[in-house]
């Protein structure tokens, strides 16, 4: 029984090449801010909103020096490990709060 509990409590390490929790938090913070910016534009055309959001995502990838493949594979890993994703989103919430206080909501 002790072996089963020991195995359940130990967190596995993310595979090599997976973005760190901190880097994922940075990227997700930028993505949520970008989504908010597009929503605030209140564009009538969904196509226009998608185009603008796609441009903002390109800026996010450049700013964070990642590509979509690395981001998506890391996101997929973290989504299958809720304990990691919970910590990541706690960091995202804190980062957004700090940026709102500083009025620094730009990408």
């Amino acid at each position: 029984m002790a072996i089963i509990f020991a195995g359940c409590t130990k967190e596995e390490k993310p595979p090599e090449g997976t973005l760190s929790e901190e880097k994922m938090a940075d990227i997700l913070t930028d993505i949520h801010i970008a989504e908010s910016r597009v929503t605030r534009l209140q564009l009538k055309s969904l196509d226009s909103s998608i185009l603008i959001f796609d441009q903002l995502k390109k800026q996010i990838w450049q700013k964070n020096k990642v590509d979509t493949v690395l981001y998506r594979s890391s996101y997929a890993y973290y989504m299958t490990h809720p304990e990691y994703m919970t910590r990541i989103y706690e960091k995202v919430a804190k980062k957004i709060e700090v940026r709102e206080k500083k009025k620094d909501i730009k990408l």
Side-chain angles (χ1 to χ4, degrees), residues 38 45-57:
V38 171
S45 167
L46 180 60
D47 290 339
S48 296
S49 295
I50 291 170
L51 287 173
I52 291 171
F53 185 65
D54 285 345
Q55 286 301 311
L56 292 172
K57 282 196 301 188

Side-chain angles (χ1 to χ4, degrees), residues 21 24-25 28 78 84-93:
E21 288 183 38
M24 282 298 294
L28 287 168
Y78 287 123
Y84 289 133
M85 197 53 106
T86 298
R87 283 196 307 255
I88 290 169
Y89 267 99
E90 287 170 355
K91 292 175 186 181
V92 169

Side-chain angles (χ1 to χ4, degrees), residues 1 3 13 21 25 27 36 41 72 87:
M1 213 42 151
I3 293 172
K13 284 187 170 185
E21 288 183 38
I27 294 169
S36 176
L41 292 173
R72 286 181 181 163
R87 283 196 307 255

Side-chain angles (χ1 to χ4, degrees), residues 31-94:
I31 288 173
H32 288 296
I33 290 170
E35 288 172 341
S36 176
R37 286 178 67 193
V38 171
T39 300
R40 280 184 281 142
L41 292 173
Q42 297 180 340
L43 299 172
K44 294 180 183 185
S45 167
L46 180 60
D47 290 339
S48 296
S49 295
I50 291 170
L51 287 173
I52 291 171
F53 185 65
D54 285 345
Q55 286 301 311
L56 292 172
K57 282 196 301 188
K58 285 179 187 176
Q59 292 174 18
I60 293 166
W61 305 149
Q62 289 172 348
K63 173 186 171 188
N64 290 283
K65 298 179 176 88
V66 299
D67 60 28
T68 56
V69 173
L70 177 58
Y71 168 75
R72 286 181 181 163
S73 66
S74 297
Y75 187 82
Y77 172 79
Y78 287 123
M79 284 301 291
T80 61
H81 295 81
E83 67 278 5
Y84 289 133
M85 197 53 106
T86 298
R87 283 196 307 255
I88 290 169
Y89 267 99
E90 287 170 355
K91 292 175 186 181
V92 169
K94 287 178 186 171

Side-chain angles (χ1 to χ4, degrees), residues 4 6 8 15 17 26 29 53 63 67 100 104:
I4 292 172
C8 292
D26 290 341
T29 299
F53 185 65
K63 173 186 171 188
D67 60 28
E100 284 177 339
D104 180 28

